[in-house]
Amino acid sequence: VGVPRGSAPVTALLSLAVTSEQIEHLHRRFKQLSQDQLTIRKENFDSIPDLEFNPIRGKIVHAFFDKRNLRQESDGLADEINFEDFLTIMSYFRPIEMNMDEEQLDRFRKEKLKFLFHMYDSDHDGKITLQEYRNVVEELLSGNPHLEKESARSIADGAMMEAASICVGQMGPDQVYEGITFEDFLKMWQGIDIETKMHVRFLNVDTIAHCY
Amino acid sequence: IPSVSSIVPESCLLIVVGLLVGGLIKGVGEKPPILKSDIFFLFLLPPIILDAGYFLPLRPFTENLGTILIFAVVGTLWNAFFLGGLMYAVCQLGGPGLNHIGLLANLLFGSIISAVDPVAVLAVFEEIHINELLHILVFGESLLNDAVTVVLYHLFEEFASFEQVTILDIILGFLSFFVVSLGGVLVGVIYGVIAAFTSRFTSHIRVIEPLFVFLYSYMAYLSAELFHLSGIMALIAAGVVMRPYVEANISHKSHTTIKYFLKMWSSVSETLIFIFLGVSTVAGHHYWNWTFVISTLFFCLIARVLGVLVLTWFINKFRIVKLTPKDQFIIAYGGLRGAIAFSLGYLLDYHHFGMRDMFLTAIITVIFFTVFVQGMTIRPLVDLLAVKKKQETKRSINEEIHTQFLDHLLTGIEDICGHYGHHHWKDKLNRFNKKYVKKCLIAGERSKEPQLIAFYHKMEMKQAIELVESGGIGKIPSAVSTVSIQNINPQTLPLERVLPALSKDKEEEIRKILRTNLQKTRQRLRSYNRHTLVADPYEEAWNQMLLRRQKARQLEQKMNNYLTVPAHKVDSPTMSRARIGSDPLAYEPKEDSENLPIITIDPASPQSPESVDLMSEEPKGCSGLPPSPEEDEEGLVMRVKEPSSPGTDDVFTPGNSDSPSSQRMLRCLSDPGPRPEPEEGEPFIPKGQ
């Protein structure tokens, strides 16, 4: 219903486990954003007024076009995404399901954390370096124009050192901590149960998607 | 062999003590005092509720607010009516002794006994360290059901004196619930805002800051109670509203004072309440009716279990994190009754309710049963069912960054989806708060401070204080990590400078002396670069001795100095950290800034063969001495200035030490910069050697 021709068959969307109503809602939104085109470009996101206030706006929009998130083999940024890609990104924000077993839960969690990791790691090298982390903190604090750069920097430095001590433990003076790898990232997030936090509420899973 | 305290919760022991005391008094022939309701409601209950409200963990509370409200409102209503109705049936069938008790009286009894008691829940749940979700669910329910209890109690009490109860009365009663609860919250919010506003102007009279918190909260409670609104909800609302703004405004000492006073008062209140319960049991007139009491107990439990089961089934449709049967069991089992039920029963008028004694006996029996039986067995049950316990996670700066990032991300996604959800409104509220409210209620610079920065400073303060305290005892903190700035950022090189070159062995000597001295003072500062170090090794020994003498003297003076420290100007956080970096006990803040040496710290360059790894703070998340206003590459220059900051006036005491020795001490502990001292004619190490 309303799914455009030319996109992947709805059966492929089964794996994303969103209901058909949600697909329809998202599709309407997609059409709104793309102004009835088949694909969205970065500029289309400018039309969302509320996004202006978001300090990490750039990173969020970037995440939609990040090929790693779109489950494509290649690297880098896509120029435009179609509805299927849009849904793929949205599926990262599914809530947890009751009938998941341990292994599924673990995979679920890793997927979400991988999405977050890609957002932090802007140069796609698989590590979050100090400069990238500083960048993140600066963006978070970008809503306060009078703030000095050093505050953001020292916070990022402190956080990085803490991450190093969590992930590596004791370090000698000559050891250098290159950056946060994905395994370290997982360690840092151990205390926070991401699977319950990282979801958008209306993507409640009541039934598995069925195809028309 | 397990000790008594690990089996029996404190509340039970206190009740037993009360029983003994009451028995003793009675045995002597005197009349033991009964817990009077006005003493309870006016003096004993507010501290506990304020303590709970002020330190309420807001995030889990708001996340689960829907669930908590449903349990509190619908659950309590269900309990009251179910119990009241069944007890009426029992009374009708119970023979001549009970026949005269009407429906309204039974409903009133039901409403008194059905509310979960916050004092009892706190007392028992504090000891079992259950996971945060369950704790906040049961505890939140016990706090918010006060409105329902108040409404039902007054309603039935009124109705009992009516001839006829019409539909209009019932509808009005229903509406009064909203008035009572929302009115209570409104009163609390108003007083909370006033308190926050007052705290904005207290920078010159720090000593009475805690007073405003207590005063305004108590006034909120009294005002609400005056109008028969829910006092507990007013108190909670006041505490929750005032806390973020008050904490941003008040000094660190005041914050500690508030925390300890609240804990102290609530502990004392709790103890007194339970002891009084015991004494009142001995002292009161009892009327034991087997049928009534046993059926009350039985139906109470049934009502609770049924209520929780049905409500959870309903709630789980809307929850993301569903409540498992284990959770449901703990919630049902944690429905303890306590002194509020007793006091409400005691308030009943004898003339209207002749069976008051029987009611009181039944109430006391239920209280005893829930506190003793359920309170004692909940801990082994929690272990048996392997319920998740509270995780002691220290709040870290990383977590804060991630949480904020996630919040913004989810808000962004919601905006992209066009869905005005949870995060969208929370974000709007935050922005409103930042734009308008904070400006009014927070004094000075801090009104613009973003949350991340405020959090970071708070963490640094905490760790600095920990370091000072542990440094004073002379132990190295065991969890010191060796991670320093050079481990993560080795690339920053110092600018080229024209500096005196040191010979190898002089350098080694300096380093050795510094190392031994600094180890003795139990500090690890940032790594230094040998090019910027100019020290006087021969003075070190003498300075060390002076330092020890100074320490002893200042420890003594610390006590006296605390109250005579004048209010300080606002200081930059840089300075707070800088002061912490140098030895706090030797710090002499009153010196003229120009005379003090400049401390230049550089991260160790990769070329230095070995650098003494010096770190000035505890490992977790402190970046040591902060970067300077100039470019990072120049190294870090710290200028010592007048101290002050709302939070740090208690950490350092300006000693009245004599200037030259303290100056030298400062120099020996910090690395003086390349600039020649006004007193020193020429640098110690002659050029070109």
Side-chain angles (χ1 to χ4, degrees):
Chain A
V1 176
V3 178
R5 292 172 286 117
S7 72
V10 185
T11 42
L13 296 172
L14 264 175
S15 61
L16 300 178
V18 285
T19 67
S20 51
E21 305 153 357
Q22 292 160 1
I23 296 181
E24 209 186 300
H25 177 104
L26 285 172
H27 182 64
R28 251 181 281 133
R29 184 67 179 171
F30 184 83
K31 278 215 287 215
Q32 230 181 3
L33 285 176
S34 69
Q35 286 146 10
D36 284 334
Q37 304 291 315
L38 280 177
T39 57
I40 296 187
R41 299 175 158 277
K42 274 207 181 144
E43 298 77 52
N44 294 109
F45 283 98
D46 292 338
S47 57
I48 305 173
D50 292 313
L51 214 52
E52 292 298 314
F53 297 111
N54 204 315
I56 56 169
R57 186 181 173 284
K59 284 202 153 42
I60 298 179
V61 175
H62 185 103
F64 271 82
F65 294 88
D66 191 338
K67 283 208 183 141
R68 298 175 290 176
N69 292 336
L70 296 174
R71 300 176 208 260
Q72 290 169 15
E73 294 314 318
S74 54
D75 214 9
L77 284 182
D79 285 328
E80 48 188 25
I81 54 172
N82 58 21
F83 183 57
E84 191 193 343
D85 299 325
F86 188 69
L87 271 188
T88 313
I89 303 287
M90 282 301 159
S91 72
Y92 283 102
F93 295 93
R94 286 174 289 155
I96 197 173
E97 290 158 43
M98 273 298 258
N99 50 0
M100 280 182 166
D101 58 16
E102 277 299 318
E103 195 210 311
Q104 277 182 314
L105 218 59
D106 193 48
R107 219 171 357 126
F108 196 61
R109 191 188 151 85
K110 279 217 171 86
E111 256 182 34
K112 297 196 183 231
L113 285 175
K114 200 118 193 132
F115 185 81
L116 272 179
F117 187 76
H118 290 154
M119 286 187 79
Y120 281 86
D121 178 25
S122 40
D123 61 2
H124 302 216
D125 63 352
K127 292 203 282 283
I128 305 176
T129 59
L130 182 64
Q131 194 47 49
E132 286 168 346
Y133 212 23
R134 278 184 183 165
N135 189 303
V136 169
V137 177
E138 270 165 23
E139 278 203 3
L140 274 179
L141 294 173
S142 60
N144 309 275
H146 63 280
L147 214 58
E148 299 154 357
K149 255 191 145 210
E150 296 66 43
S151 321
R153 216 175 263 186
S154 50
I155 293 181
D157 291 348
M160 197 70 174
M161 283 204 283
E162 189 191 78
S165 61
I166 293 177
C167 306
V168 183
Q170 303 289 345
M171 285 183 81
D174 292 328
Q175 285 177 274
V176 177
Y177 184 61
E178 293 291 327
I180 307 177
T181 60
F182 186 57
E183 284 69 40
D184 296 339
F185 196 65
L186 285 176
K187 255 191 254 183
M188 284 202 320
W189 278 86
Q190 245 170 17
I192 317 173
D193 46 350
I194 185 95
E195 53 269 17
T196 54
K197 290 209 156 94
M198 184 164 153
H199 64 269
V200 178
R201 196 159 262 268
F202 83 104
L203 290 180
N204 271 333
V205 178
D206 290 319
T207 57
I208 307 285
H210 39 269
C211 64
Y212 281 114
Chain B
I1 302 175
S3 63
V4 178
S5 63
S6 60
I7 308 178
V8 184
E10 194 181 301
S11 38
C12 303
L13 285 173
L14 288 171
I15 294 186
V16 169
V17 167
L19 287 172
L20 290 173
V21 168
L24 205 67
I25 298 180
K26 216 171 194 180
V28 177
E30 293 287 326
K31 198 167 169 319
I34 302 189
L35 178 62
K36 292 217 180 35
S37 295
D38 48 354
I39 295 185
F40 175 75
F41 280 115
L42 288 179
F43 302 118
L44 290 180
L45 189 62
I48 302 180
I49 304 295
L50 180 61
D51 181 39
Y54 196 78
F55 293 110
L56 194 68
L58 203 55
R59 230 194 148 95
F61 185 75
T62 46
E63 280 174 10
N64 294 299
L65 193 58
T67 314
I68 294 177
L69 275 175
I70 291 188
F71 274 127
V73 176
V74 181
T76 312
L77 279 174
W78 156 259
N79 276 353
F81 282 104
F82 183 76
L83 192 67
L86 278 181
M87 289 315 295
Y88 179 60
V90 165
C91 283
Q92 296 301 347
L93 305 168
L98 300 173
N99 265 342
H100 60 284
I101 306 178
L103 177 65
L104 275 171
N106 273 307
L107 283 175
L108 180 60
F109 177 73
S111 69
I112 294 176
I113 198 86
S114 62
V116 178
D117 188 84
V119 181
V121 165
L122 257 180
V124 169
F125 270 55
E126 282 289 296
E127 297 184 10
I128 61 178
H129 298 298
I130 208 162
N131 68 60
E132 198 179 51
L133 172 68
L134 286 177
H135 186 259
I136 199 71
L137 281 179
V138 181
F139 184 59
E141 179 197 341
S142 69
L143 287 176
L144 295 187
N145 64 19
D146 179 62
V148 182
T149 312
V150 164
V151 168
L152 284 179
Y153 182 80
H154 286 298
L155 212 61
F156 290 136
E157 214 187 8
E158 291 281 317
F159 285 0
S161 52
F162 284 4
E163 294 298 320
Q164 265 278 51
V165 179
T166 64
I167 297 287
L168 186 65
D169 296 324
I170 297 181
I171 294 184
L172 282 176
F174 181 68
L175 285 176
S176 73
F177 165 69
F178 290 103
V179 172
V180 164
S181 54
L182 294 175
V185 170
L186 188 68
V187 169
V189 167
I190 292 177
Y191 274 102
V193 169
I194 296 179
F197 191 65
T198 311
S199 73
R200 184 181 162 181
F201 303 105
T202 55
S203 52
H204 299 291
I205 30 163
R206 295 274 180 208
V207 200
I208 62 172
E209 273 169 344
L211 182 66
F212 288 119
V213 173
F214 303 138
L215 203 67
Y216 281 114
S217 313
Y218 194 49
M219 278 178 67
Y221 180 75
L222 289 181
S223 310
E225 286 290 322
L226 192 65
F227 297 109
H228 279 239
L229 303 173
S230 168
I232 291 185
M233 294 189 82
L235 207 48
I236 304 277
V240 163
V241 165
M242 76 167 76
R243 183 175 180 203
Y245 308 108
V246 162
E247 293 214 329
N249 283 329
I250 61 177
S251 74
H252 183 75
K253 267 197 229 172
S254 301
H255 174 79
T256 312
T257 309
I258 292 179
K259 181 163 118 174
Y260 280 106
F261 260 93
L262 281 179
K263 297 288 176 204
M264 178 187 81
W265 270 329
S266 63
S267 289
V268 169
S269 283
E270 201 180 288
T271 311
L272 281 177
I273 288 178
F274 283 115
I275 293 186
F276 256 119
L277 262 181
V279 173
S280 307
T281 312
V282 175
H285 305 281
H286 292 291
Y287 183 79
W288 181 272
N289 183 307
W290 278 100
T291 332
F292 193 78
V293 175
I294 299 297
S295 45
T296 304
L297 195 57
F298 187 62
F299 289 132
C300 254
L301 295 171
I302 303 246
R304 177 77 183 162
V305 170
L306 277 181
V308 170
L309 281 176
V310 171
L311 285 177
T312 316
W313 173 81
F314 177 68
I315 288 170
N316 269 344
K317 290 184 190 290
F318 301 96
R319 276 183 70 90
I320 301 294
V321 182
K322 317 276 184 201
L323 293 173
T324 64
K326 253 196 263 179
D327 295 335
Q328 293 171 36
F329 176 73
I330 297 290
I331 295 176
Y333 210 67
L336 307 172
R337 311 314 200 259
I340 291 186
F342 178 80
S343 306
L344 282 176
Y346 195 77
L347 270 178
L348 286 174
D349 190 2
Y350 232 135
H351 296 292
H352 283 156
F353 301 97
M355 70 304 288
R356 176 173 168 268
D357 289 332
M358 190 170 69
F359 282 176
L360 277 177
T361 313
I363 293 174
I364 288 191
T365 314
V366 174
I367 295 178
F368 270 45
F369 182 83
T370 55
V371 172
F372 277 94
V373 175
Q374 283 176 232
M376 271 203 272
T377 53
I378 199 168
R379 204 194 304 214
L381 277 174
V382 161
D383 292 332
L384 194 71
L385 294 174
V387 181
K388 257 204 317 189
K389 292 252 178 132
K390 179 153 72 168
Q391 289 166 313
E392 288 301 336
T393 46
K394 283 184 87 170
R395 296 203 63 201
S396 71
I397 186 72
N398 268 310
E399 243 185 69
E400 184 69 18
I401 294 178
H402 293 322
T403 317
Q404 279 210 8
F405 191 84
L406 199 58
D407 275 342
H408 286 301
L409 171 64
L410 292 172
T411 311
I413 296 288
E414 277 189 3
D415 289 333
I416 291 177
C417 290
H419 171 67
Y420 284 162
H422 197 56
H423 288 97
H424 178 90
W425 293 116
K426 207 160 79 153
D427 189 57
K428 267 214 157 98
L429 185 68
N430 277 336
R431 266 188 280 135
F432 173 74
N433 187 18
K434 194 163 100 168
K435 203 158 163 210
Y436 299 111
V437 184
K438 273 195 182 170
K439 291 223 173 77
C440 295
L441 298 180
I442 301 184
E445 273 306 301
R446 303 214 44 191
S447 64
K448 298 201 212 77
E449 197 176 51
Q451 194 195 349
L452 197 58
I453 306 265
F455 180 80
Y456 184 58
H457 289 161
K458 204 159 73 151
M459 290 269 97
E460 294 231 295
M461 259 291 268
K462 249 191 245 177
Q463 288 160 19
I465 292 177
E466 270 174 46
L467 183 75
V468 167
E469 286 178 356
S470 68
I473 308 173
K475 290 192 299 233
I476 295 184
S478 53
V480 169
S481 153
T482 50
V483 177
S484 65
I485 189 77
Q486 70 189 109
N487 290 113
I488 60 174
N489 192 6
Q491 292 94 348
T492 54
L493 294 169
L495 256 190
E496 293 294 28
R497 272 204 194 87
V498 178
L499 290 165
L502 302 170
S503 68
K504 271 276 179 188
D505 37 5
K506 272 272 177 348
E507 191 186 299
E508 188 47 53
E509 198 179 3
I510 293 172
R511 208 175 277 140
K512 189 165 54 124
I513 290 173
L514 268 178
R515 211 177 304 147
T516 43
N517 284 335
L518 289 169
Q519 270 172 6
K520 282 204 189 116
T521 58
R522 296 297 189 227
Q523 282 192 332
R524 287 147 59 75
L525 302 170
R526 275 286 215 63
S527 37
Y528 64 96
N529 183 298
R530 59 168 189 250
H531 292 296
T532 56
L533 169 63
V534 180
D536 183 351
Y538 295 126
E539 281 196 297
E540 299 306 322
W542 187 59
N543 287 335
Q544 189 62 23
M545 181 189 70
L546 271 179
L547 177 64
R548 280 200 211 103
R549 238 195 283 155
Q550 186 82 359
K551 259 193 195 172
R553 219 181 331 142
Q554 281 194 330
L555 268 169
E556 238 183 307
Q557 282 179 347
K558 237 187 191 182
M559 306 301 170
N560 306 329
N561 276 340
Y562 265 126
L563 291 176
T564 59
V565 170
H568 292 130
K569 311 192 289 279
V570 178
D571 187 12
S572 74
T574 307
M575 280 332 302
S576 333
R577 261 173 303 177
R579 263 178 293 131
I580 293 160
S582 48
D583 184 351
L585 291 179
Y587 182 65
E588 223 287 313
K590 295 276 195 280
E591 286 292 311
D592 192 22
S593 23
E594 275 69 60
N595 287 337
L596 284 176
I598 301 175
I599 301 161
T600 311
I601 307 287
D602 279 329
S605 57
Q607 291 96 15
S608 60
E610 78 170 274
S611 33
V612 177
D613 197 45
L614 313 164
M615 198 167 79
S616 68
E617 273 130 339
E618 281 249 8
K620 294 225 167 178
C622 278
S623 60
L625 296 163
S628 65
E630 304 120 301
E631 267 298 70
D632 220 2
E633 278 61 59
E634 275 185 330
L636 307 163
V637 179
M638 175 179 85
R639 245 164 254 278
V640 181
K641 277 203 302 252
E642 261 306 298
S644 55
S645 137
T648 53
D649 54 354
D650 60 330
V651 180
F652 306 109
T653 51
N656 319 336
S657 52
D658 29 302
S659 346
S661 53
S662 72
Q663 271 236 17
R664 265 188 283 250
M665 228 162 327
L666 275 165
R667 247 188 304 121
C668 88
L669 289 175
S670 44
D671 303 339
R675 206 179 71 174
E677 298 305 306
E679 300 154 356
E680 262 188 337
E682 50 171 28
F684 171 71
I685 314 292
K687 288 185 173 56
Q689 195 162 337

